[in-house]
Amino acid sequence: EDQVTQSPEALRLQEGESSSLNCSYTVSGLRGLFWYRQDPGKGPEFLFTLYSAGEEKEKERLKATLTKKESFLHITAPKPEDSATYLCAGETSGSRLTFGEGTQLTVNP
Amino acid sequence: GAVVSQHPSWVICKSGTSVKIECRSLDFQATTMFWYRQFPKQSLMLMATSNEGSKATYEQGVEKDKFLINHASLTLSTLTVTSAHPEDSSFYICSARDLGRYNSPLHFGNGTRLTVT
């Protein structure tokens, strides 16, 4: 059974305090590993897709990396507006996504 | 970029009534759309895959007679919750992919908050 596990469940940071979110996956026939950001009451907003181990992608203060078993979302010098729930998902054939439970990030000013 | 629109954004209905939720791809055609459900403090669970011109595919444990899906055109899929009960109260989100763009990700609508009283 495909599984995606995220840790920690919740993370509180001070503004400027860098950290990383973890996503461990066991997905048969993984076609891509996705990161999304979800604000309260909204749908997920696409951040990154990673396709192969060793791949890295960056966008502003965020950088996503991928190994054969895990993906990390590194947040450098976060700002309060980075507060959100970050979701990781593994894609299998037919565009089916298996989501993790998410990490709720709070960045305090 | 690709945009997926959902309507309504929230709805309150009485127990036993039916509710229809629309999902539209605004600037691309989607032969396949996906319907997810999200309970508070939980992640998204795939309910069904909506296929244009053919029957939807439902995930295990999802009642197809309760959650009717119609994919009538290449830009519109609808989810009808029939004979809604309070336990159907949830956040319903649709997604689609622009297959005309290489390696396009799945884009999500802004969701529909359903409350059954």
Side-chain angles (χ1 to χ4, degrees), chain A residues 6 31 34 36 38 41-46 49 51 87-88 91 94-102 104, chain B residues 32 34 36 38 41-46 49 59 91 93 97 99 103-111 113:
Chain A
Q6 291 187 245
R31 299 182 68 182
F34 290 77
Y36 288 87
Q38 187 176 27
K42 301 287 186 182
E45 175 189 343
F46 171 73
T49 313
Y51 293 100
L87 299 169
C88 167
E91 181 189 12
S95 297
R96 298 177 77 253
L97 293 184
T98 300
F99 279 88
E101 297 289 324
Q104 186 175 355
Chain B
T32 304
F34 303 87
Y36 288 81
Q38 186 177 33
K41 301 292 186 184
Q42 294 186 24
S43 194
L44 284 77
M45 295 297 293
L46 179 65
T49 302
E59 296 299 301
F91 193 50
I93 315 173
R97 166 177 265 152
L99 294 177
N103 275 346
S104 172
L106 270 169
H107 291 278
F108 287 82
N110 264 333
R113 172 75 57 195

Side-chain angles (χ1 to χ4, degrees), chain A residues 20-46:
Chain A
S20 296
L21 312 182
N22 177 263
C23 170
S24 300
Y25 63 91
T26 308
V27 177
S28 302
L30 182 76
R31 299 182 68 182
L33 191 292
F34 290 77
W35 283 97
Y36 288 87
R37 167 192 172 129
Q38 187 176 27
D39 291 298
K42 301 287 186 182
E45 175 189 343
F46 171 73

Side-chain angles (χ1 to χ4, degrees), chain A residues 1 8 11 16 18 20 26 29-30 37 39 52-53 57-58 61 63 67 69 73 75 80 84 90 94 97 103 109:
Chain A
E1 184 185 337
L11 181 63
S18 302
S20 296
T26 308
L30 182 76
R37 167 192 172 129
D39 291 298
S52 56
K57 289 193 177 172
E58 282 188 72
R61 296 177 291 282
K63 182 168 82 171
T67 71
K69 295 183 179 180
L73 184 65
I75 303 176
L97 293 184
T103 293

Side-chain angles (χ1 to χ4, degrees), chain B residues 43-84:
Chain B
S43 194
L44 284 77
M45 295 297 293
L46 179 65
M47 297 176 65
T49 302
S50 170
N51 303 299
E52 189 268 336
S54 65
K55 290 182 179 180
T57 306
Y58 291 82
E59 296 299 301
Q60 193 172 4
V62 177
E63 299 175 56
K64 62 180 181 181
D65 294 329
K66 180 166 190 62
F67 298 100
L68 299 180
I69 290 173
N70 186 355
H71 198 142
S73 76
L74 288 172
T75 59
L76 174 64
S77 174
T78 60
L79 169 68
T80 301
V81 183
T82 63
S83 187

